[in-house]
Amino acid sequence: MMPRLLSTVLSPLCCLYCGYLDGNAVGVVMPPPEAQAAVEQFKKRLLALDSRTAAALINVYGPIWQRLEADIVSLMEEVTNTQMTFQQVLRLRRLEALQEQVTREMSRFAGVANGSITAAQREALDLSARSARATVDAALPRGIDTQLLARVGIEWNNLPAGALEAFAGIAGDGAPLSKLLTPLGAEARDGILRGLAEGIALGKGPRETAALIRNRFGMPLTRALNISRTET
């Protein structure tokens, strides 16, 4: 979302500093340093928001693996000791219970991620609205700001609060964020199965197989971080 929000802040500057003749731009004057500084400050705040949201998701996801790892190692010890094939492993009640636990854990994670990303969207939208006004104020001649212009009949058009709120919880394509996050559970379960299959096929030990699974289990987190980065 950062490019879209950044354009929200930059658009007023374009209106102020592009010269037009018969609808055609005839020249561009660089905005004053104060206005450029306001834009840079907005970018820094938006990046900081992105970092905080990513850290929150990582802090929730990490313990999920810690709760699963011991069960995965124990399962692989049984598989190794009895020399099971992957097809035999698929019929184990232990594997079924593990997959059920993954489903529960990932459902909770998706809910937390949805809340965190939605909250970040609200903060980013509020930040963009305030930064756009601050950027225009910085670009106007000294002693003039949008409040002064409003008193003489030149109004600053703000989107209604309800219109901004409508963007929260929605992805860039108009779909609810939950639609992007719900498939993470299936991806995590598939990663565990693929890691088990790879470990058994390669004759890996329990902890080596757990490491293979951990790498695949990290993919849903990567996807969630990408969703957070592009939708906030």
Side-chain angles (χ1 to χ4, degrees), residues 123-141:
E123 186 175 343
L125 289 164
D126 178 67
L127 178 61
S128 67
R130 289 186 286 108
S131 295
R133 181 183 287 272
T135 301
V136 171
D137 283 341
L140 290 169

Side-chain angles (χ1 to χ4, degrees), residues 28-80:
V28 177
V29 179
M30 289 300 293
E34 293 85 352
Q36 296 181 50
V39 173
E40 290 301 319
Q41 185 64 25
F42 168 73
K43 289 168 62 177
K44 289 179 181 179
R45 290 177 178 175
L46 204 57
L47 288 172
L49 173 61
D50 177 65
S51 296
R52 291 199 308 273
T53 306
L57 297 183
I58 292 170
N59 289 337
V60 172
Y61 202 82
I64 294 177
W65 171 254
Q66 293 172 359
R67 290 190 288 270
L68 294 172
E69 185 176 19
D71 289 338
I72 290 172
V73 171
S74 177
L75 172 62
M76 278 305 301
E77 286 174 347
E78 178 182 350
V79 171
T80 302

